[in-house]
């Protein structure tokens, strides 16, 4: 029962985190079109700050905590061999990428707040899908356990 609870909480945290990782670049794409110092610029800054600090940061921390707890639970009950499986390596690589991307977006948010954005609307629209592509690989890796059968 503990494992199922941890897994459920992990999934919920990941859903919230992914929502932010997908939405923040879209906000940036629209923000690039706002005049610096305008009411729209201030509105976007407020939306971006609240999304990042109130939703994304806690969700990322929760996803990490529950994910590490799941690894600990599995490792202590079934052994640690699964950490060397290709599917788990792919999952962990995806987690590292999403964590990097989260912090990249945080730095970009700070640049927008300082009025120093250097990226285009096109850049933000193009990179908007990167977290989803990573999620596809991660979910398929875990659900099919590729490379271990």
């Amino acid at each position: 029962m503990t494992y199922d609870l941890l897994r459920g909480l992990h999934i919920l945290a990941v859903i919230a985190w992914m929502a932010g990782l997908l939405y923040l670049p879209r906000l940036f794409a629209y923000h690039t079109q706002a005049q610096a110092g305008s009411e729209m610029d201030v509105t976007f800054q407020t939306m971006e700050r609240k999304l990042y600090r109130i939703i994304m940061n806690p969700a990322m921390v929760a996803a990490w905590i529950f994910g590490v707890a799941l690894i600990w639970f599995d490792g202590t009950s079934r052994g640690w061999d699964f950490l060397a499986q290709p599917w788990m390596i792919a999952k962990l690589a995806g987690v590292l990428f999403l964590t990097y991307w989260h912090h990249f977006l945080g730095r970009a948010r700070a640049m927008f707040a300082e009025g120093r954005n250097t990226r285009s609307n096109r850049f933000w629209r193009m990179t908007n899908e990167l977290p989803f592509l990573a999620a596809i690989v991660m979910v398929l890796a875990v659900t099919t356990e590729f490379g271990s059968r």
Side-chain angles (χ1 to χ4, degrees):
M1 185 167 125
T2 302
Y3 184 82
D4 289 338
L5 177 63
L6 287 174
R7 189 170 43 179
L9 292 171
H10 179 66
I11 290 168
L12 291 172
V14 169
I15 289 169
W17 188 25
M18 286 297 298
L21 290 171
L22 293 167
Y23 187 45
L24 191 55
R26 182 55 60 178
L27 286 176
F28 291 162
Y30 298 136
H31 194 166
T32 60
Q33 299 171 358
Q35 188 77 295
S38 69
E39 183 179 338
M40 192 55 93
D41 177 50
V42 173
T43 299
F44 277 120
Q45 286 183 41
T46 301
M47 292 170 65
E48 292 158 1
R49 183 181 64 253
K50 288 182 176 184
L51 175 62
Y52 191 74
R53 291 185 179 167
I54 298 171
I55 296 172
M56 292 174 65
N57 282 342
M60 178 187 69
V61 169
W64 266 92
I65 288 170
F66 295 128
V68 168
L70 287 168
I71 289 171
W72 180 259
F73 192 97
D74 277 344
T76 57
S77 65
R78 297 190 299 184
W80 298 95
D81 296 349
F82 72 98
L83 288 173
Q85 295 295 318
W87 65 269
M88 189 58 161
I89 293 168
K91 165 78 185 266
L92 294 175
V95 170
L96 291 177
F97 168 74
L98 292 178
T99 302
Y100 163 79
W101 188 246
H102 177 101
H103 292 293
F104 176 84
L105 295 176
R107 288 190 308 275
R109 190 204 62 77
M111 297 284 283
F112 270 104
E114 295 167 0
R116 297 187 308 121
N117 171 54
T118 59
R119 309 229 186 248
S120 69
N121 173 301
R122 180 175 164 79
F123 173 84
W124 292 116
R125 284 186 290 116
M126 297 290 287
T127 60
N128 183 60
E129 305 305 326
L130 291 176
F132 187 65
L133 294 174
I136 291 169
V137 172
M138 293 164 67
V139 168
L140 292 176
V142 171
T143 57
T144 65
E145 293 187 1
F146 67 75
S148 65
R149 294 181 184 180

